[in-house]
């Protein structure tokens, strides 16, 4: 079986069966290690695997725990209550996303999950200068306000978590710049008001007998990179270079970080955007909280000269970040007739 990612890369899939990752297949990187060790491990992970765990990341466990408690309570509501902020009421796909309305892998059934989506607002960013009088919403398809529900402590809990993970993401992109032999602050002007989107996701258990029904189908992520908090239930699977699905189990106190298509485009695929999926056959409810970190929506993503050998041409045309994200996200959302047909 062959799978084509949105970046255009063709990946051969040996089978739908998955095995647990060996100890050293997905490295664990401590962010309190020496700079030399961190950069060496990041270089290997970003150019060989596209996935790694980070520990000692500075996000307090109590904020993580509150997010998962919030997710369980929010998704336990009646559908009618959640649909008060249905994402289709938002021009930028923010709010509540009901089950089976997204098809990440076009060769499979719609994704078996429900989600709440939110994105960057200046009020969520501790670094935002209140003396900045520029327009908050840029003129592109992905900029605009969030859709917050009328739910106890909802925005407050998300805001506290989001601020810490946003700070971690800005730290990580500085490290990625150094891996690419660029000044640490190279990306700083491009992430002042970043396309930093969060999701809370609820996955019901899936039937092992139906491999066409996945929590999230095989895909590569859109943005520069993802910081994922998995919870406690394993379901994340990564496609390795041999075409095997390997499980990336939850490890307490860590986040999973994976490279997305924006950084793949920027580096002409020196950084690997790896195909992955979610298949929850544990018999348990699963919750996860991914955070997708991209650049300002008015930034242009163009292959770095330092990632091109002499005379080499880029594999990718320059793209405007906001338009790129909008096209990718809107393509995966199903219309009413498709939702009815899939039901």
């Amino acid at each position: 079986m062959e799978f084509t990612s949105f970046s255009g890369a063709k990946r051969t899939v040996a089978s739908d069966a998955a095995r647990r990752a060996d100890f050293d297949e997905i490295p664990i990187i401590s962010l309190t290690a020496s700079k030399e060790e961190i950069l060496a491990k990041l270089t290997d992970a970003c150019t060989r695997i596209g996935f790694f765990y980070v520990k000692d990341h500075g996000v307090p466990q109590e904020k993580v725990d509150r997010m998962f408690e919030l997710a369980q309570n929010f998704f336990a509501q009646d559908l009618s209550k959640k649909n008060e902020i249905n994402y289709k009421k938002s021009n930028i796909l923010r709010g509540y996303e009901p089950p089976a309305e997204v098809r990440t892998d076009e060769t499979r059934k719609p994704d078996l999950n429900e989600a709440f989506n939110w994105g960057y607002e200046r009020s969520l960013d501790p670094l935002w200068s209140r003396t900045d009088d520029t327009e908050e919403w840029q003129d592109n398809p992905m900029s605009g306000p969030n859709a917050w529900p009328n739910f106890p402590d909802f925005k407050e809990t998300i805001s506290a978590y989001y601020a810490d993970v946003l700070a971690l993401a800005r730290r990580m992109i500085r490290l990625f710049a150094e891996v690419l032999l660029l000044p640490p602050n190279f990306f700083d002007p491009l992430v002042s008001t970043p396309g930093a989107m969060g999701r809370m996701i609820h996955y019901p258990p899936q039937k092992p007998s139906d491999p066409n029904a996945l929590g999230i189908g095989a895909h590569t992520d859109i943005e520069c990179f993802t910081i994922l908090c998995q919870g406690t239930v394993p379901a994340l699977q990564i496609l390795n270079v041999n075409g095997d699905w390997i499980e990336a189990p939850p490890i307490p106190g860590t986040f999973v970080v994976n490279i997305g298509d924006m950084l793949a485009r920027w580096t002409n695929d020196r950084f690997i955007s790896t195909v992955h999926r979610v298949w929850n056959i544990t018999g348990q409810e699963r919750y996860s909280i991914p955070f997708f970190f991209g650049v300002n929506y008015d930034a242009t993503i163009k292959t770095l000269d330092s990632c091109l050998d002499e005379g080499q041409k880029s594999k990718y045309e320059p793209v405007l970040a906001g338009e790129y994200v909008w096209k990718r996200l809107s393509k995966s959302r199903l219309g009413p007739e498709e939702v009815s047909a899939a039901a």
Side-chain angles (χ1 to χ4, degrees), residues 73-86:
N73 292 336
F74 174 76
F75 290 121
Q77 297 181 106
D78 290 339
L79 182 61
S80 60
K81 186 67 176 176
K82 291 179 284 191
N83 269 330
E84 290 177 2
I85 52 163
N86 189 290

Side-chain angles (χ1 to χ4, degrees), residues 56-102:
D56 307 318
H57 43 66
V59 180
Q61 185 61 42
E62 56 266 27
K63 292 187 180 181
V64 174
D65 293 341
R66 284 199 291 271
M67 284 292 290
F68 280 101
E69 182 181 1
L70 178 69
Q72 292 178 34
N73 292 336
F74 174 76
F75 290 121
Q77 297 181 106
D78 290 339
L79 182 61
S80 60
K81 186 67 176 176
K82 291 179 284 191
N83 269 330
E84 290 177 2
I85 52 163
N86 189 290
Y87 76 102
K88 292 181 180 178
K89 299 178 182 180
S90 165
N91 292 331
I92 51 176
L93 309 177
R94 295 182 186 177
Y96 173 68
E97 195 175 87
E101 293 201 6
V102 175

Side-chain angles (χ1 to χ4, degrees), residues 300-337:
T300 298
I301 301 168
K302 180 179 181 292
T303 300
L304 298 163
D305 291 338
S306 59
C307 291
L308 295 172
D309 297 328
E310 185 176 353
Q312 184 183 18
K313 293 184 177 180
S314 173
K315 301 175 184 178
Y316 305 106
E317 293 294 322
V319 291
L320 191 66
E323 292 181 0
Y324 179 67
V325 173
W326 170 255
K327 288 177 181 178
R328 288 279 300 273
L329 287 178
S330 58
K331 182 177 180 180
S332 65
R333 271 59 188 173
L334 303 182
E337 293 182 359

Side-chain angles (χ1 to χ4, degrees), residues 69-332:
E69 182 181 1
L70 178 69
Q72 292 178 34
N73 292 336
F74 174 76
F75 290 121
Q77 297 181 106
D78 290 339
L79 182 61
S80 60
K81 186 67 176 176
K82 291 179 284 191
N83 269 330
E84 290 177 2
I85 52 163
N86 189 290
Y87 76 102
K88 292 181 180 178
K89 299 178 182 180
S90 165
N91 292 331
I92 51 176
L93 309 177
R94 295 182 186 177
Y96 173 68
E97 195 175 87
E101 293 201 6
V102 175
R103 193 195 312 272
T104 307
D105 180 349
E106 293 182 354
T107 68
R108 308 275 183 156
K109 295 179 180 178
D111 298 346
L112 290 177
N113 70 67
E114 58 179 338
F116 173 79
N117 308 317
W118 77 94
Y120 180 88
E121 288 182 0
R122 286 179 176 169
S123 63
L124 304 178
D125 186 354
L127 294 187
W128 171 55
S129 169
R130 297 186 184 279
T131 61
D132 183 354
D133 60 359
T134 57
E135 291 290 331
E136 173 158 13
W137 313 123
Q138 301 158 354
D139 186 19
N140 72 68
M142 279 304 298
S143 290
N146 287 306
W148 300 110
N150 182 16
F151 193 86
D153 299 321
F154 193 93
K155 184 177 180 181
E156 293 78 9
T157 301
I158 283 182
S159 298
Y161 177 81
Y162 183 87
D164 283 0
V165 180
L166 181 60
L168 173 60
R170 284 178 167 141
R171 180 182 177 189
M172 293 301 304
I173 204 164
R174 281 178 152 249
L175 291 170
F176 291 147
E178 292 190 75
V179 168
L180 294 167
L181 304 180
L182 299 168
N185 63 354
F186 178 85
F187 291 106
D188 285 4
L190 302 176
V191 294
S192 56
T193 56
M197 298 186 293
R199 301 187 84 200
M200 294 192 309
I201 311 178
H202 169 227
Y203 302 92
Q206 300 162 224
K207 295 179 180 178
S209 59
D210 187 1
N212 284 316
L214 295 169
I216 296 181
H219 68 287
T220 53
D221 286 348
I222 303 171
E223 295 80 2
C224 290
F225 57 93
T226 303
I227 299 175
L228 170 67
C229 194
Q230 290 204 76
T232 59
V233 177
L236 175 63
Q237 300 177 354
I238 299 166
L239 188 64
N240 72 6
V241 293
N242 297 320
D244 300 320
W245 290 108
I246 61 171
E247 297 175 2
I251 299 177
T254 70
F255 290 118
V256 176
V257 179
N258 64 279
I259 302 302
D261 290 347
M262 282 187 180
L263 271 179
R265 296 177 75 99
W266 239 319
T267 63
N268 213 35
D269 287 335
R270 289 192 183 181
F271 276 22
I272 299 172
S273 182
T274 304
V275 175
H276 53 287
R277 69 183 186 183
V278 174
W279 195 4
N280 180 23
I281 54 174
T282 63
Q284 303 176 66
E285 305 292 318
R286 182 179 190 263
Y287 300 87
S288 71
I289 307 167
F291 172 92
F292 306 98
F293 188 72
V295 293
N296 302 350
Y297 285 139
D298 61 352
T300 298
I301 301 168
K302 180 179 181 292
T303 300
L304 298 163
D305 291 338
S306 59
C307 291
L308 295 172
D309 297 328
E310 185 176 353
Q312 184 183 18
K313 293 184 177 180
S314 173
K315 301 175 184 178
Y316 305 106
E317 293 294 322
V319 291
L320 191 66
E323 292 181 0
Y324 179 67
V325 173
W326 170 255
K327 288 177 181 178
R328 288 279 300 273
L329 287 178
S330 58
K331 182 177 180 180
S332 65

